[in-house]
Amino acid sequence: MKKLFALTAIAAVVGGAHAQDFPGGKTITMVVPFAAGGPTDRVARDLAEALRKPLGGASIVIDNVPGAGSSIGAAKVARAAPDGYTLLLNHIGMSTIPTLVRNVPFKVETDFEYLGIVNDVPMTLISRPTLQANNYKELFAWIAANKGKINLGNAGVGSASHLCGLLFQSATKTEMTPVPYKGTAPAITDLIGGQIDLLCDQTTNTSPQIESKKVKAFAVTTPQRLTTPLLKDLPTLQEAGLKDFQVTIWHGLYAPKGTPAAVTKKLNDAVKVALKDPDFIKKQEGLGAVVAADGRIEPEGHKKFVAAEIAKWSPIIKAAGVYAD
Ligand code: ASP
């Protein structure tokens, strides 16, 4: 018993010494649990760049670990060494997976240190360019006429596009065939190519495609219309008659549970500096995202928010009658 105590004490001292030097010239890996080129990846790459300076010029590499709606990447970070060198950038999936997935390979509440919410991002409902509809009324008529034949893309069970698609099917009382991808970057490629019909995805991914008219956009998922010039004329899904429909995607940064407090403080302090970086703000706002600036940028605020989101989405998901293994 005594020996164990001594070892723990030595480990704490060693950990403390490392913590003071962190990151000390070592590369930090930021795991993105979706495919490269998609919206979560976009946020992660912009954030990694903005974090570099406040972390003393540290190099931060992105590791795309896609699959299972973000569960695989999140589980990888939950099991990584708790030293601050492996981080997770994930979205709303942290709060929907506990309800949507039966055997979650990690525990959202207890397997992570929370390092701050980064942004909020609206979604857009988009279609392949050849779909015979040009506004939501025509889209709803097309949906009614094509029941049983509609393919709806998503980024796996528990992903943002999956959640939005489930809510949309439930609100329109239409069952669609889900087509899962490793992220919405490959999903949008197939949408443009006409392999799938519909997709609900963050504006950080859809804005360039909407602008270049490679996809058709019908509505936004927020309760209010957006102010971004490109998207300001899109109606909300509530305006389109889908009562109470609203979903906004947020992203947050996490470290494995047990990461020394001195390290998590350095990381959270760096996040708070990054969130004020004018370049980061400009890039994010240009894609319709709103950079976080409220109590959720603090670890306790972030943790409380995720718990509140789990409590918010659980009954909605259950009422929509959707589960997956
Ligand atoms: N936006 C995707 C989702 O539906 C994930 C991604 O590719 O970033 O969750």
Side-chain angles (χ1 to χ4, degrees):
M1 185 67 187
K2 244 188 190 161
K3 197 172 168 196
L4 181 67
F5 174 78
L7 285 176
T8 313
I10 290 165
V13 171
V14 173
H18 279 305
Q20 263 139 41
D21 300 340
F22 181 86
K26 263 182 84 180
T27 299
I28 297 172
T29 299
M30 192 185 287
V31 170
V32 171
F34 292 103
T40 312
D41 187 67
R42 176 76 275 136
V43 174
R45 283 173 203 270
D46 288 353
L47 181 68
E49 208 178 308
L51 280 173
R52 181 180 251 279
K53 210 164 145 198
L55 286 174
S59 85
I60 303 176
V61 297
I62 302 296
D63 182 15
N64 295 93
V65 185
S70 80
S71 288
I72 295 176
K76 182 174 177 178
V77 176
R79 290 191 296 265
D83 54 13
Y85 293 100
T86 309
L87 307 176
L88 170 71
L89 191 285
N90 201 7
H91 65 13
I92 194 168
M94 296 296 270
S95 70
T96 56
I97 281 174
T99 310
L100 276 168
V101 180
R102 269 190 245 272
N103 297 308
V104 186
F106 58 87
K107 289 206 166 41
V108 175
E109 295 91 339
T110 52
D111 282 355
F112 299 97
E113 303 291 346
Y114 291 61
L115 302 174
I117 288 287
V118 174
N119 65 8
D120 295 289
V121 193
M123 300 187 99
T124 45
L125 177 65
I126 57 176
S127 80
R128 59 179 160 82
T130 49
L131 196 136
Q132 297 291 301
N134 289 312
N135 53 52
Y136 73 77
K137 281 196 184 125
E138 291 175 9
L139 176 69
F140 288 170
W142 180 87
I143 288 173
N146 286 279
K147 284 200 172 172
K149 290 187 270 179
I150 303 169
N151 291 320
L152 174 67
N154 69 46
V157 173
S159 65
S161 44
H162 180 245
L163 171 71
C164 184
L166 293 174
L167 300 176
F168 186 66
Q169 290 174 85
S170 160
T172 56
K173 299 189 176 48
T174 315
E175 244 184 71
M176 303 181 188
T177 308
V179 184
Y181 292 85
K182 295 211 158 148
T184 42
I188 217 165
T189 303
D190 269 12
L191 189 76
I192 293 168
Q195 280 86 9
I196 53 172
D197 300 307
L198 293 172
L199 179 67
C200 195
D201 197 17
Q202 282 103 297
T203 57
T204 33
N205 200 34
T206 62
S207 296
Q209 317 296 354
I210 294 171
E211 189 159 29
S212 58
K213 302 205 173 9
K214 286 192 180 143
V215 297
K216 288 187 180 180
F218 296 96
V220 292
T221 63
T222 41
Q224 270 93 37
R225 285 190 183 208
L226 305 180
T227 52
T228 332
L230 174 72
L231 306 167
K232 69 177 181 8
D233 294 330
L234 285 178
T236 66
L237 279 169
Q238 289 190 10
E239 280 176 66
L242 304 187
K243 202 175 149 276
D244 300 332
F245 195 109
Q246 71 166 84
V247 54
T248 299
I249 307 310
W250 42 267
H251 297 83
L253 191 67
Y254 306 81
K257 186 78 189 169
T259 304
V263 173
T264 56
K265 178 160 182 352
K266 277 194 176 181
L267 286 165
N268 174 247
D269 285 348
V271 167
K272 287 187 282 195
V273 173
L275 298 185
K276 290 208 168 101
D277 180 325
D279 270 357
F280 178 71
I281 295 174
K282 197 170 159 217
K283 277 188 215 155
Q284 291 291 301
E285 286 183 349
L287 294 170
V290 179
V291 174
D294 52 29
R296 298 172 304 159
I297 65 175
E298 299 293 344
E300 320 78 63
H302 180 180
K303 192 164 188 185
K304 258 197 200 153
F305 176 66
V306 174
E309 284 281 286
I310 293 173
K312 170 184 158 181
W313 287 111
S314 174
I316 296 173
I317 292 166
K318 284 179 183 159
V322 283
Y323 285 99
D325 284 317

